[in-house]
Structures are given as structure tokens and as C-alpha cells.
Amino acid sequence: MEIEQIEILDFLKRHSPFRELPADLLEQVACSIDIGYFKAGSEILRFNEPLHAFHLIRSGAVETFRRNGELYNRLSEGGFFAEQGLLRGGKVRFPASALEDTLIYLIPDRMFLQLFDESEFFADYVEVGYRERRKSSKAREQASADLLGATVSTLLGRVPISIGSHASVRQAAQLMSEQNVSALLILHHGDETAPDGTLAGIITDKDMRARLIAPGLDSEIPVTDIMSADPATIDHQRYIFEAMALMLRYNLHHLPVLMRGKTVGIIAISDIIRYESQNSLYVVSSIFRQQTVAELQSVVPDVHACFLRMVNEDANSQMIGSAMAAIGRSFKQRLLELAEAELGPAPVPYCFLALGSMARDEQLIFTDQDNALILDNRFDPALHGSYFEKLASFVCDGLAACGYTYCTGKVMATNPQWRQPLRVWQQYFKTWMEQATAERLLHSSIFFDIDGVWGQTQWAEQLQAQVSKQARHQPLFLASMARNALQRTPPLGFFKDFVMEQDGKQNNSLNIKRRGTAPFSDLIRIYALAVGSDANNSLNRLKDIIDAGVLPKGRGEDLRDAFEVIALTRIRHQAEVLRQGREPDNNVLPEQLSEFERKHLKEAFQVLSNAQSFLKFHFKA
Amino acid sequence: MLYLGPNQADKTQNDNAITDWQRYYQQQAASVEHSLLQHFYGAGMVAASTPVSQVSFVALDFETTGLDADSNSIVSIGLVPFDLRCIYSSRARQWLVKPRFKLTDSSVTVHRITHSEIDSAPDLSQILPEFLSLLAGKVAVVHYRYIEREFMNAALQARLGDGLLFPVIDTLDLEARLYRAKPLSWWDKLRGRQKVSIRLDASRNRFNLPPYRPHHAVTDAIACAELLQAQINHRFSMDTPVSELWC
């Protein structure tokens, strides 16, 4: 029989995390709901009052607040609140009031707790703590590892072409020509040894050449005479790398694929190469085979395909960021090889530097080039100046041709200021830390993420060691860095199709780099400098920071998870832009985000915002 | 509830003249003969001066075979208890009842209640004890009172030999007070101005209440309860005496 609260049930069926619940449980929920009406401006929940229901917005809009009266969240139809209070002692933690005339569905506490116990999805969706989600992120990593090992069935294309074992070589050759295939399966037909239709052998173009034409045999002989009998096969559920290993071991170009003992396809070595061409390792090795800048440019689509594939396979931000950085480094290295081939060997040793996101192994697709040159101390501008100027131009122009746009701040080796002998660099770094100015702080935040990619890379390490030794003893410098890092703040969250700011103002889009990943890596850099970490990658820095024990317990882990949420949002946005062939940007539109993503992003922003407050306090910024 | 054209909505005849329902209930309790009705009136009624914030309500919706209570009958009843703090939809009740008069095909299409469902439904007399106990002592809230009050009165007259009268707040009447207070002037008509609709869905829409699927008794009762909350919040106050609203 149909329940009486059908309108309530219909509403629940349209909204997560309810619509995912089993039908009988959902009906129980619908039958348990009471309804509250609140006029715009009226109070819904008052701090510390007893709380008996989970609040789900049926219509209207609600604002929730911190205890100090600061806006905490703004919610509309389908939004919910009061879960923290119910999970922690049954008292109101975030007071709420109606922004518009609002109807609230009140789910009684016992029903809410039952849902929380019975549905893991519901619990994950509703629970605000990061500890619970860490469990699910482990499951995600497992899933991505499984996906990275794709199975043979993903490579299967057309139905395999076959012929009976009674056919002649000529008939086989005719069929292969008709079907335009280079390999043909031979199936048992009227043989006593095996049932009809089972695999007897395989014959390829190469077999025809080597076993028929070269020895001068008659093409009317049975195909079984020259086929490879009982060939190696692979089950469709095995991993691609297993197929690859098999083909390498036996030097096979074709491998029949079986499903429940029946042949369902043939994979050729070219299928595997095509698949692997989207692999970052393949892209890197292909970069080093290119002979000109134009040829290097032709690799760019492979870079994009590789990026998309990693995103599709749910790789984490560190895997993607380091793969893209490795590719970017390879472009630089190959361009330097080409430059030296054209300009001749360098007159004095040098080190080519990657800075910023590439140095941090956090590079994505749409990124500008930040680079510089350290020259040997024997560098003489009159003698060597023009060589390095040309070298720098060659590399920077080449990078621009390959999609790494010129740096608008002119942080490039083509800028004479950033093409200096080691001792000048050492002096730069010293001055930046000892006499900070606005401009020098900006330089610090760019140049302190440093990675030598070519030549005397130990010089980059020396500069880095200088920073990690000196910075932590410069409290004024750290305070100024912290002040700078606090200038870019995350938004509060989302409301309808808007980005909501801390002061309640609403914007149409969110620059996820400026408001998310950038302030995050700024924050982590300062702590890294303070604890003398010599790591470049933000997550590795965070490990050092956690080990150094400067953060309250658990805060470092929260930061790590929040960083991942924000970084992945940016990555997914770039993947979407790439798929649609749009102009690259970092502007995420709220309507592109699912409720689930919004909720997690909001929490991640909260973690970042809290960490910024703590940073301010910690460094007296 | 049923769709009502503008003509029916303008109907004003037949209203009783009772204003002191508390006294009326006391009188009835002493004079009625049937024990069900004695209990019903015996539960009493709030005084006319009671602020609405202290009143317990039940929203009612009847689905009927037609509009005239003398030749049509009730097929389903939806009931939702509420007060101005909360609508207790978890305690909503709905009954299908077998009509005294035949179900027409056109009303089948409106209510989506089929002949076979009706055939297995009980007679109203079987659900009366429960229904009356839920209504006892409460102020009924309906959208267009001539359906619920007259059909219940007629049904009881036929079964118990005695009618039933109870105070009702009519959310349609509250809308009519505002939008039907004076007829459209010639100037309004000249400008093509139309009467503001006071139907349930149109009235709810004016208060930004969400659209619901109509002609389901409990849903319509909930819709009506929500509408009264909005009306009181926007046009009256928590201290408004219930006598200003009931009739």
C-alpha cells in the first residue's frame, strides 16, 4: 500500500543523501517527518538549546552561524543542517535563521541516528569530520590502483576473423585480404583431436612470407601446415601488462583473447602501444626522440591525452601533478639538448631552474613557465652573455610553442635579472630573507620553490639548503611571508549557483587557483620554511611539518585531505575545459559542481580558513 | 480537495451564526443522544479569545464524488494535526470510505481513486469513532469549508440521525477577505484586470510555498496547514484570538 506522505517521499527521492537509500527505509523516513514553517528573518535554532531533529530544507533559504555570530553557511532547497549538534550531544551548535520564508522537514533524532547507523553512504555524506572520510579516500586509492591496471578486455575491438582447419593457405590468404587483417585464427573443423570451433592455431602475414613463399611451397597446402599451432592466449580479464609480458617473452605480435575458453578477439602489439602512448612514461620517452621544436609541439596532444587518462582513472593530485611536472621537465631538458646542439656547448657551466608549480611537482595542463638560469661564477658578460641569452630564448620560445605560456611576471631565464652567476643568486636569497619588501616577498614565494632540471643541479640544492637553514631564524621574514599569504582567502562556500564570500556577498565563479590551491601552497611553504623542510612538494612539506609537531594534533592530516579536495577540483576543471576545447582558465562555476563536491569543497575551504587564522597567530603576522 | 471554479468559490449561503463555539459544544454535549457525539462535544472547545498560538488544529481534506452534499458522498479523508510550531505530518491519517452514492467516472479521474479500491473500503460509520476522536477539541482547518463541514454534517445525519457542527478556519476565506473584499471596479475591468485566484495552489504560490500534486487527501491537508501558517505569520500575529479566524 502506498504511504500517505507521498509528497514528502517524492521530495526525498529527488535529493541526496536520501534518494540513494533503499525504498523501504526511505518510506520510514518520509513517515517520520514533521514540518516547520519559518517566516523570513525568524529564528529556527538557538545556540545550545536541546535539539531533536535533523533539519532538511523543503523550500526557502536558511543561514547558519557560528557562536560568535559569523555567517557559517547559507542553504537552499535540499540543503540540511543541525547534523553536528545531533552527533555531538543533542544541542544546537550552529544557530540558524530563515533567510526567506522557509519550510523545514524535521527528521526526528532517532530516525537520523538510525540512518547514520544503517547507511554508510548517508553517514559519509552527512558527517563533517575528515576522519571518517579518510577511510573512504583509502578505498579510492585502492580503486585507482585497480584502474591503472586495466584489463585486456579494454583493448578488444572487432570480432576476430577465423577459418576452419580444413582450409588451404590460399583460402586463408584470400579471407585475410578481404577482411583486411594481418592475423587469422584457425579453428578446429572435423578434427578428431578437438571439438569443432576451438582454437587450433594462428597465422599471420609474416608466417605466409617466412613459411610459404620463402621456402617455395604451394599455396594449396592446408593452412594447418604453416600456422603456429596451439598459440599462447590470454583471458580477457587479465591485465594489459600481463599481455605485454607474454608478447615480449615469446616475441609475439598477436595474441588471441579468450572469454570462457572461446576466442573473442586478437590484440596486436600496436594496440598496446596505442594504449601505452597515453602513459606519462611513454610521453616522456617520446619527448626525447623529437628532433625539432615543431616535432616537440606534435607531442602536446599526447600530453593532454595522458592528463585526461589519469583524471579518468581517478589518480590522486600528487600522481597527476608529478607526472605533468616530469613531462614539463622533459620538454625543458630536450629543448636544452637541442639548444646546445644548435649553439654549441656552453662556454661555462650552468644550471637551468624550474620554479613554482613545476618545482613543487604540482604542475597541471594550463600553466605558465617560471624558470631561471644559474651561471658559473666565472661567467663574464662580455664573453658569455650572448650565448646564454640565445640559450634562454631558445628554451623559453620552445616552451611557449609547446603550450607553456610566457610568464606575465617575467620570471624567465630570458630576463637578465634571473640569468646570474651563483654568487649573485646567493646574495639575492640573503637579501630577500634579511630585508623583506613587498617585491622581495613575492620573489621569495616564487624562487623558494626551486628545482634544478639541467646542468649543475647541485647549485639549486645549495640555494635551497641556504633557504632552509636561514629562513627559520628570520621571524620578521616569516611574519611578512605569512602576512602576504593571508591576502588570498578562500570563499565560505556556495549558495544556489553562487560562490558565497565570508561577508555573505555572492559571486558567479570561483578562481580555484587564486582562492584555493595558491593560498594553500603559500601557507604550507611558510610552515615548511619555519621547520627547515627541504622538500618542494606541498604534501611532502606537510609531512615534514606534521613530523616537526608545530601544528595542533590532527590539523596536518585535515590540511592534507583538504588540499587534495581543492587540488582535484582544479584538476577536474582543467580536464573538463580540455575535453570541451575551451579557452583555459581556473574559473570554476558553482553549477558545474555536484552537491557532494560543493559540500566537500566548503569543508576544505573551512580547513584552509582556520589554518590561515592559526598561521596569523603563529607568526604574529 | 476538489477543483472549484470561481462560481462555487463565491458561495456564501448556509453559514451558521455560531461565534461562541465553546458554549455551543457545552450545549450540544448535554443535548445530543448518540454516545459518539456526546464524547465529541464533551471534549470541549477553546474559548473564542484564545490566542492562535495556543490552539491545536487539524487540517482536513475530503475527496468527494461531487460538490453537492445532498447527492454526493465522501470517498476519502485526509487529516493532519498541527499547531503553529509544527505540522505533525508523521501523525497524518488517511481513510478511503465507500460512498453512499455511486462513484462517477469523472471523479475517478480527478482523485485517481478507482472503483475497486472503493469497493473494498469500509463505510464511513466504521471510521467515525477514530475520526471524531482526532477532531474532538481541535479547531479544523480547511480550504473551502462548504465541502468538509457540509459533507460531514450530511453523512452523520444519515448515519447517526444527528448532524455535526464544528468550528472551522477556512484558508480560502482568509484569502477572500483580502482579495474579494470589494468587487473589481469598472476601471479595473477596463484595464483587463482579473480577479486574483484564491485557489489552494495559487494562494500557496503567493506565499512562496512549493507546488504539490493535488487531489490527494493528506497532501492537500498538509498544503492547507502550511498555508495557514504562512497566512498567520504574514497577516495576523501569534496573539490573534482564534475567533477572528474561525467561523
Side-chain angles (χ1 to χ4, degrees), chain A residues 404-415:
Chain A
Y404 301 89
T405 51
Y406 294 112
C407 170
T408 48
K410 300 245 166 21
V411 179
M412 292 184 291
T414 45
N415 183 344

Side-chain angles (χ1 to χ4, degrees), chain B residues 2-18:
Chain B
L2 273 172
Y3 164 72
L4 297 168
N7 290 337
Q8 281 91 14
D10 278 347
K11 176 175 174 179
T12 50
Q13 84 272 15
N14 241 353
D15 246 352
N16 59 74
I18 302 164

Side-chain angles (χ1 to χ4, degrees), chain A residues 2-8 10 30-40 58-60 101 103 105-106, chain B residues 85-94 207-213 216 218-219 222 226 229-230 233-234:
Chain A
E2 203 177 35
I3 65 160
E4 282 143 22
Q5 291 79 352
I6 50 170
E7 190 63 45
I8 296 173
D10 282 352
C31 292
S32 77
I33 284 176
D34 286 335
I35 305 167
Y37 176 89
F38 298 92
K39 190 184 172 183
R58 173 60 182 87
S59 65
D101 292 344
L103 281 175
Y105 281 174
L106 304 159
Chain B
R85 283 179 303 282
C86 190
I87 297 167
Y88 304 101
S89 44
S90 59
R91 297 183 348 224
R93 291 301 317 268
Q94 176 159 318
F207 288 101
N208 293 315
L209 291 167
Y212 289 163
R213 188 162 66 163
H216 174 268
V218 162
T219 304
I222 291 174
E226 290 171 355
Q229 308 257 359
N233 269 283
H234 283 269

Side-chain angles (χ1 to χ4, degrees), chain B residues 123-196:
Chain B
D123 184 78
L124 181 73
S125 54
Q126 281 175 265
I127 65 142
L128 265 184
E130 194 186 358
F131 174 79
L132 289 177
S133 73
L134 289 170
L135 184 60
K138 310 279 174 63
V139 175
V141 177
V142 302
H143 196 75
Y144 192 55
R145 60 188 175 279
Y146 302 101
I147 292 289
E148 279 74 13
R149 194 143 66 183
E150 286 181 15
F151 271 79
M152 191 45 77
N153 194 32
L156 264 69
Q157 200 84 54
R159 287 176 180 83
L160 309 181
D162 232 333
L164 181 75
L165 271 182
F166 49 90
V168 156
I169 293 178
D170 183 353
T171 51
L172 179 136
D173 179 59
L174 296 184
E175 289 302 284
R177 288 188 200 177
L178 195 66
Y179 297 106
R180 295 281 190 273
K182 56 174 192 207
L184 291 180
S185 67
W186 64 269
W187 173 237
D188 285 332
K189 283 177 188 158
L190 196 68
R191 286 189 301 175
R193 185 169 285 179
Q194 297 208 330
K195 280 187 182 174
V196 176

